Amino acid sequence: AQSVTQLDSQVPVFEEAPVELRCNYSSSVSVYLFWYVQYPNQGLQLLLKYLSGSTLVKGINGFEAEFNKSQTSFHLRKPSVHISDTAEYFCAVSGRQAGTALIFGKGTTLSVSS
Amino acid sequence: EAQVTQNPRYLITVTGKKLTVTCSQNMNHEYMSWYRQDPGLGLRQIYYSMNVEVTDKGDVPEGYKVSRKEKRNFPLILESPSPNQTSLYFCASSLRTGLRVGELFFGEGSRLTVL
């Protein structure tokens, strides 16, 4: 079984500052990893995903994440945030075998202020 | 336009009155799933379906039913709603590539209040 821990429930930052949203997972099998973003009053949309290959994954809106197998982490980063990045961010993990559900973390609320 | 459509978007109902939240996708996706989102708990999976006529329980299936008679539709049924089912519900679908589920596409959500 897989599980996901998002280490910070809320992250307040100022505009143009860098940000890191932390995600750790546990799994007994190889995994796929995802970050989703939910803007206020909207559904979730995919930011980026790690399936295989390079451990540094680039996504939309200038976000990137690094898969670290030894530390079982998949932290999300952005070098300079904008007000419009204010949203809730979800890390998710899926095992590679058939029938595995996608498990979500509890979310991190990123609040960007000027 | 590729999309997942949920209806209704907002609903207030009373305890015990059966209701159905519909979900339809136009992307020919094999995999569909229902989640509920509650403050501090993130998204929890209710039921999912890997293909037509194949459904499985997620983490919180109690009090819900689903059916998958057609590929595009995956309705969520609350036979006898209770106040603890007040929540924001999301339907999602994905193209199942080989044995794994790919990127999830989400509907805009259905906010349900049970009085």
Side-chain angles (χ1 to χ4, degrees), chain B residues 3-5 9-10 12 55 66 71 73-74 80 111-112:
Chain B
Q3 58 187 2
V4 178
T5 304
R9 294 287 313 281
Y10 302 91
I12 300 174
T55 62
V66 292
K71 200 171 189 178
N73 295 323
F74 191 45
S80 182
R111 186 167 293 281
L112 171 65

Side-chain angles (χ1 to χ4, degrees), chain B residues 8-66:
Chain B
R9 294 287 313 281
Y10 302 91
L11 179 63
I12 300 174
T13 190
V14 295
T15 299
K17 186 175 181 183
K18 180 180 178 180
L19 68 91
T20 299
V21 186
T22 64
C23 174
S24 181
Q25 51 92 5
N26 62 0
M27 295 169 280
N28 202 35
H29 285 168
E30 293 178 328
Y31 179 90
M32 296 186 75
S33 179
W34 277 102
Y35 293 87
R36 60 177 289 174
Q37 184 179 18
D38 301 288
L41 297 177
L43 279 91
R44 294 179 293 168
Q45 191 174 47
I46 303 171
Y47 270 95
Y48 65 98
S49 169
M50 297 295 278
N51 214 328
V52 176
E53 301 292 1
V54 179
T55 62
D56 280 296
K57 295 178 181 179
D59 297 319
V60 289
E62 295 79 19
Y64 304 95
K65 285 176 57 177
V66 292

